[in-house]
Amino acid sequence: MAYDHKSIEKKWQDYWVGDKVFKADSSSNKEKFYALDMFPYPSGAGLHVGHPEGMTATDIVSRMKRMQGYEVLHPMGWDAFGLPAEQYALDTGNDPAVFTQQNIDNFRRQIQALGFSYDWDREVNTTDPNYYKWTQWIFTKLYEEGLAYVDEVAVNWCPALGTVLANEEVVDGVSERGGHPVVRKPMKQWMLKITAYADRLLEDLEDLDWPESIKDMQRNWIGKSEGADVHFEVDGHDETFTVFTTRPDTLFGATYAVLAPEHPFVERIVSAEQKEAVQAYINEVTKKSDLERTDLAKEKSGVFSGAYAINPVNGERIQIWVADYVLMSYGSGAIMAVPAHDERDYEFAKTFDLPIRAVVEGGNVEEEAYTGDGKHINSDFLNGLDKEEGIQKAIEWLEAEGKGEKKTSYRLRDWLFSRQRYWGEPIPVIHWEDGSVTAEKVENLPLELPKTENIKPSGTGESPLANIEDWVNVVDPETGMKGRRETNTMPQWAGSCWYFLRYIDPDNSEQLADPEKLKEWLPVDMYIGGAEHAVLHLLYARFWHKFLYDIGVVPTKEPFQRLFNQGMILGENNEKMSKSKGNVVNPDDIVETHGADTLRLYEMFMGPLEASVAWSTNGLDGARRFLDRVHRLFATDNGSLSDKVKYDSQNTDLERSYHETVKKVTENFEALRFNTAISQMMVFINDAYKASEIPGQYAEGFVKLLSPVAPHLAEELWSILGHEDTISYEVWPIHDEAKLIDDEVEIVLQVMGKVRSKVSAPKDASKEELEKLAMEDETIQEWIQGKTVRKVIAVPGKLVNIVAN
RNA sequence: GCGGGUGUGGCGGAAUUGGCAGACGCGCUAGACUUAGGAUCUAGUGUCUCUCGACGUGGGGGUUCAAGUCCCUCCACCCGCACCA
């Protein structure tokens, strides 16, 4: 019988899972290798063909590393908290835990049907109390270290639904569900002080083996910029405000100042005459959505506050304006405006007819702002200096005069860590009636989510947990003091910040993970996932990891040494797969019709791992055809070994092709270039079909090379080749470099850089010998006839180029 | 606007330090075997001429004996950020 994927795949999957073939042993003395997938959110829709792409890539590497003698940790788990389960609960009254468990079971079934070599004994689930116990524990540590704090932050409050909405639940200013109005409302929120790690998150990127584009995205997100804080006094008030500037050297060109509309200072300094205008402006601005406010195309808007600031360098009175082009969230929410040398200030000054004074030479201030370098003018003690010197000197002056100081600002802001949701890790904090706040003691963790049939909005903006009286209200057993539990839960990011640590020691009830085991496995050697997590997940996880490093829990500064982002698999119409477009391909269907091995092979052969390529049914058929060809080459219809395979063969037809294949496949797997590795395997199979016989050791070697990509078929062929054990721990083939070198090589003969002839020559023929061969070649002689040979370039082993005209 | 990236046959894509452009797969064409083929096998397949040959890696220019690869310039598309002071 021909290649029957259904029976073969079932057989080997049952064996792998049943016999725990891929169990990882932390105590072995093999070198450790940790291959990690970004774990999925188990959605109700199940797996789509995009999921297995990255998973196949890590699986191939894992399987190869095992065969190369490494102890491989390759785990899978579930990022299972999240909004959809909560929505489902709200809609149906069902328990999100039950719903989530069903989805997980479905995901696991689908993933196992693809034959990945996960160690299923290490499966983790972020919604499991034994898991989130440690998520909560990390939070309490952050709290103890002062890195978790409460702040007032505006949230999307929907009065009609009585709940707070996530940004993605708000569409065009109304709730996505029901279309109710949404307003910004300040609420007390837990924040994590990621900004305290900004510099280290930036610097430590250097040593990581990550795509440069991802590093850059993180750098931009952190957005470090150096400059100075400058303090301005307000004329007629006993007040000062601070601006942040990267160009303190242009202080003499500051002709007005601007406060963000939300700046608390605005109401303190606004003049009586301007009060009404300012209030009207602020009202207008707060009505605008974030999108409208940041729309670059729009005209600058603003209003004069009626107050004046004193420029600290020259005592000049300058107007203070309120304008929304200054953001409260960056720097100090206030700027000194230097219209001559800043494009935004220039545009604003032109709009409102404010003075513009050049203080740096170069450019034409009549026409546009000049942001380049040049000698300073109109700047007293800075005159004649260039930009760099000017900045230096200005900061020295400010610090000496007590009018300002050197300052570094970051675009990165602290992490808003609260969610007003039921389906998340409860934040383990109690607010006591005397006003004190304490974190739950470790022995009281996990603080479990209470079971309830009544998940509904609290109506106050608190999470549904606020409805559950006997959970929310607590009494201190020792002092009798009453308290109320925090009702906010953690965001989905929390569980995914450290799951890779738990895989290392998933059942530990005493600690997050055994330090000795962490030392064995960390850092993750290979981490593959989608580029959509390039910034947030990876930054948050790095932050937590550095924190855990600081408190001595983990042994490495960085969690993920090597990172790779796989591309997307698009629908056959070249658009992103989505239910609404009807172009989603379900892996279950492919496994049924073509088999898991075909799906794996096809996804790896489509193109480079990082590229986004459209699904093609024809391409899939081609992948299947290759596996059919492989099967037919090695096995007969009744499942015995093909006569063509001969263990005692002395035939050397395939020698070179085989060794080249071993070399290329090994190198390409290592470099994650699976498409080229597979094409080389195809070349070998084509050669093998042409050969009169296939030496047994080449057949075995090839099956090993194929096994990471098409493990079920490889196991089957391995047993047909007469082996009892799994192929998973067989020794990976090594190529013999000597077999790749031919004694005779083909030399390309060129005239004027164009190939005119070819000739065979000994591989180590000298330049002179090659030149002689070229000149003797008949075709070449015809080409150079009647021409003068100006020059002959001979590259040993490669070519001869004759310059003649 | 800033940062990063990509442009190669009808399609997906290959091409060490500059050294035979188009590996491999899909598709297509012809043939073989077949009652049949959406199976399999064989041959062919960048374009123009189809004979020599010429042209050809987004466009233009340059360096070089030799450029997909290096330099300059322009264009298109994709991703991220976006009034970040």
Side-chain angles (χ1 to χ4, degrees):
Chain A
M1 182 160 159
Y3 171 36
D4 172 23
H5 64 266
K6 285 190 198 173
S7 63
I8 290 177
E9 292 181 357
K10 169 99 176 53
K11 170 177 155 192
W12 291 102
Q13 284 165 15
D14 288 350
Y15 168 64
W16 293 332
V17 174
D19 273 40
K20 298 186 191 293
V21 169
F22 302 112
K23 196 165 174 52
D25 179 4
S26 297
S27 62
S28 76
N29 49 24
K30 293 181 187 175
E31 196 174 336
K32 305 292 188 290
F33 190 90
Y34 190 170
L36 181 68
D37 290 295
M38 288 187 185
F39 66 166
Y41 172 72
S43 73
L47 225 57
H48 68 82
V49 288
H51 284 108
E53 194 184 10
M55 292 178 185
T56 305
T58 54
D59 199 54
I60 290 170
V61 175
S62 298
R63 286 177 179 271
M64 176 173 73
K65 291 286 173 187
R66 271 188 212 103
M67 295 170 81
Q68 288 174 332
Y70 290 83
E71 187 73 40
V72 173
L73 177 56
H74 190 219
M76 181 45 62
W78 320 106
D79 189 13
F81 277 124
L83 227 45
E86 178 142 345
Q87 295 291 13
Y88 168 82
L90 282 165
D91 291 344
T92 66
N94 289 315
D95 188 342
V98 174
F99 174 71
T100 299
Q101 192 55 50
Q102 286 166 356
N103 290 346
I104 288 175
D105 291 342
N106 188 44
F107 259 68
R108 190 190 305 102
R109 176 191 62 76
Q110 289 190 296
I111 286 175
Q112 288 184 343
L114 293 168
F116 295 125
S117 63
Y118 295 123
D119 177 355
W120 287 102
D121 287 350
R122 293 171 184 266
E123 183 178 342
V124 303
N125 170 356
T126 55
T127 67
D128 179 351
N130 292 323
Y131 179 88
Y132 69 68
K133 170 179 179 175
W134 299 103
T135 313
Q136 291 174 328
W137 178 81
I138 295 169
F139 178 87
T140 63
K141 289 289 156 191
L142 286 160
Y143 180 71
E144 281 170 23
E145 300 292 325
L147 291 167
Y149 64 97
V150 173
D151 197 11
E152 288 255 328
V153 180
V155 295
N156 301 308
W157 166 243
C158 179
L161 295 173
T163 184
V164 172
L165 300 177
N167 284 334
E168 59 266 28
E169 294 176 294
V170 183
V171 180
D172 297 329
V174 298
S175 64
E176 188 188 16
R177 298 157 73 83
H180 305 292
V182 174
V183 296
R184 304 286 288 171
K185 175 183 171 182
M187 280 185 60
K188 279 197 164 35
Q189 306 273 324
W190 282 97
M191 307 291 292
L192 295 187
K193 209 182 259 177
I194 190 172
T195 51
Y197 283 77
D199 268 322
R200 286 165 64 189
L201 289 168
L202 192 62
E203 283 161 18
D204 292 347
L205 283 170
E206 296 302 323
D207 301 323
L208 296 178
D209 186 11
W210 288 19
E212 200 52 38
S213 61
I214 302 296
K215 288 192 190 180
D216 258 316
M217 281 164 71
Q218 295 225 339
R219 288 188 192 109
N220 292 340
W221 194 261
I222 294 166
K224 180 175 182 169
S225 64
E226 295 184 59
D229 272 348
V230 183
H231 309 302
F232 281 71
E233 285 176 16
V234 182
D235 189 35
H237 290 69
D238 193 14
E239 307 254 24
T240 62
F241 64 95
T242 298
V243 307
F244 173 70
T245 177
T246 54
R247 294 294 303 274
D249 59 310
T250 61
L251 208 38
F252 286 93
T255 51
Y256 65 101
V258 187
L259 302 178
E262 297 86 351
H263 201 294
F265 219 72
V266 172
E267 59 181 277
R268 299 228 292 272
I269 59 157
V270 64
S271 69
E273 309 87 72
Q274 288 298 100
K275 200 167 185 106
E276 210 172 307
V278 168
Q279 197 52 53
Y281 180 71
I282 292 175
N283 285 345
E284 202 181 307
V285 166
T286 45
K287 261 191 292 182
K288 288 189 203 171
S289 70
D290 283 357
L291 209 78
E292 286 173 305
R293 269 193 72 170
T294 55
D295 185 3
L296 260 178
K298 79 167 169 53
E299 284 272 294
K300 291 258 184 306
S301 70
V303 63
F304 178 44
S305 71
Y308 291 83
I310 305 297
N311 187 335
V313 283
N314 55 13
E316 210 168 73
R317 262 175 111 235
I318 59 174
Q319 295 187 348
I320 302 175
W321 282 64
V322 178
D324 68 354
Y325 83 93
V326 173
L327 309 175
M328 194 58 222
S329 53
Y330 186 76
S332 58
I335 63 155
M336 62 176 212
V338 185
H341 306 293
D342 181 283
E343 279 156 25
R344 296 148 302 175
D345 296 343
Y346 188 84
E347 199 188 320
F348 190 81
K350 282 288 180 194
T351 307
F352 293 100
D353 204 21
L354 292 159
I356 298 170
R357 185 193 305 146
V359 292
V360 180
E361 273 182 346
N364 178 3
V365 177
E366 294 300 313
E367 282 176 8
E368 58 179 2
Y370 176 67
T371 55
D373 201 351
K375 282 205 182 338
H376 285 63
I377 52 172
N378 303 325
S379 294
D380 193 359
F381 58 89
L382 299 176
N383 282 337
L385 302 178
D386 67 16
K387 184 165 154 183
E388 208 45 55
E389 297 162 345
I391 290 171
Q392 192 74 25
K393 184 103 184 251
I395 290 172
E396 280 167 25
W397 186 90
L398 286 167
E399 289 184 341
E401 297 289 320
K403 300 277 174 71
E405 56 276 325
K406 191 174 163 85
K407 168 84 192 234
T408 303
S409 268
Y410 299 91
R411 203 191 77 99
L412 180 69
R413 284 181 272 158
D414 278 344
W415 177 9
L416 174 57
F417 197 67
S418 300
R419 296 293 184 273
Q420 293 70 43
R421 298 289 168 181
Y422 167 81
W423 193 233
E425 301 89 344
I427 292 178
V429 162
I430 300 168
H431 304 270
W432 299 103
E433 60 183 349
D434 68 353
S436 65
V437 176
T438 59
E440 218 27 289
K441 296 185 201 75
V442 63
E443 57 266 31
N444 293 335
L445 298 178
L447 170 59
E448 291 198 36
L449 268 178
K451 286 259 177 228
T452 176
E453 314 237 306
N454 194 21
I455 298 174
K456 58 165 201 235
S458 64
T460 60
E462 289 182 284
S463 83
L465 289 170
N467 296 330
I468 305 168
E469 296 286 334
D470 54 355
W471 183 84
V472 166
N473 297 310
V474 292
V475 176
D476 188 317
E478 283 167 34
T479 64
M481 182 151 54
K482 287 179 186 164
R484 196 162 185 280
R485 288 196 188 282
E486 173 66 52
T487 59
N488 280 320
T489 53
M490 300 187 198
Q492 200 178 351
W493 306 111
S496 60
C497 269
W498 73 282
Y499 70 107
F500 53 94
L501 301 175
R502 192 63 177 172
Y503 284 137
I504 289 171
D505 195 8
D507 299 317
N508 197 321
S509 57
E510 299 309 309
Q511 46 195 339
L512 179 155
D514 180 344
E516 287 306 312
K517 290 180 181 169
L518 290 170
K519 224 160 141 186
E520 286 290 316
W521 291 107
L522 288 177
V524 173
D525 295 288
M526 160 94 12
Y527 191 28
I528 296 182
E532 65 272 21
H533 296 116
V535 178
L536 294 182
H537 160 61
L538 289 170
L539 201 63
Y540 292 156
R542 292 179 62 221
F543 162 44
W544 275 33
H545 198 84
K546 287 184 183 303
F547 169 70
L548 292 173
Y549 174 77
D550 287 348
I551 63 170
V553 174
V554 297
T556 61
K557 289 182 184 175
E558 285 286 337
F560 317 118
Q561 187 53 43
R562 185 169 174 206
L563 173 79
F564 200 86
N565 293 110
Q566 93 256 11
M568 237 185 311
I569 294 181
L570 305 171
E572 222 153 353
N573 57 355
N574 237 302
E575 291 181 81
K576 206 168 161 174
M577 282 193 190
S578 76
K579 235 194 252 171
S580 60
K581 293 207 181 88
N583 60 355
V584 177
V585 180
N586 184 335
D588 286 348
D589 298 337
I590 307 302
V591 166
E592 175 72 19
T593 57
H594 292 72
D597 283 337
T598 299
L599 179 63
R600 295 167 60 116
L601 177 78
Y602 173 58
E603 293 207 1
M604 293 300 99
F605 187 60
M606 287 175 89
L609 188 60
E610 69 273 21
S612 292
V613 183
W615 183 264
S616 151
T617 305
N618 280 331
L620 180 72
D621 290 341
R624 167 65 195 221
R625 210 138 51 213
F626 172 66
L627 295 183
D628 281 330
R629 258 167 86 73
V630 171
H631 187 269
R632 211 174 328 112
L633 181 64
F634 294 123
T636 63
D637 272 359
N638 58 28
S640 61
L641 188 61
S642 162
D643 294 342
K644 206 170 172 182
V645 179
K646 292 203 167 59
Y647 271 90
D648 51 0
S649 173
Q650 299 300 311
N651 190 304
T652 57
D653 292 354
L654 282 172
E655 187 176 77
R656 187 195 162 91
S657 180
Y658 173 76
H659 285 278
E660 192 157 348
T661 301
V662 170
K663 179 179 157 84
K664 283 195 179 167
V665 169
T666 306
E667 287 174 358
N668 286 329
F669 278 176
E670 185 69 47
L672 310 180
R673 289 192 299 259
F674 304 111
N675 54 332
T676 50
I678 291 165
S679 85
Q680 182 60 40
M681 288 195 265
M682 290 172 168
V683 169
F684 177 78
I685 290 300
N686 290 344
D687 289 345
Y689 264 95
K690 288 179 194 129
S692 53
E693 54 188 49
I694 303 167
Q697 74 269 26
Y698 292 170
E700 294 197 350
F702 174 82
V703 170
K704 289 178 184 175
L705 295 178
L706 181 67
S707 69
V709 181
H712 311 84
L713 176 60
E715 289 275 27
E716 188 67 18
L717 293 174
W718 190 245
S719 67
I720 289 172
L721 284 163
H723 300 280
E724 303 274 319
D725 280 336
T726 173
I727 196 171
S728 306
Y729 294 92
E730 292 295 328
V731 177
W732 189 255
I734 294 170
H735 76 277
D736 180 353
E737 195 70 38
K739 298 290 196 299
L740 298 180
I741 300 163
D742 292 322
D743 295 337
E744 289 277 307
V745 290
E746 190 182 57
I747 299 294
V748 172
L749 304 181
Q750 298 180 331
V751 178
M752 295 298 284
K754 293 199 163 48
V755 181
R756 297 304 180 188
S757 183
K758 289 171 187 178
V759 67
S760 181
K763 68 169 193 295
D764 45 8
S766 71
K767 284 189 181 186
E768 291 70 26
E769 285 164 332
L770 288 176
E771 191 174 331
K772 186 160 172 282
L773 274 172
M775 295 315 237
E776 283 167 356
D777 185 86
E778 273 181 39
T779 322
I780 294 300
Q781 284 183 352
E782 282 172 33
W783 275 98
I784 59 175
Q785 199 167 40
K787 292 176 181 169
T788 314
V789 174
R790 309 275 172 195
K791 195 174 177 183
V792 178
I793 295 106
V795 182
K798 285 234 166 73
L799 57 71
V800 179
N801 188 13
I802 298 162
V803 184
N805 56 12

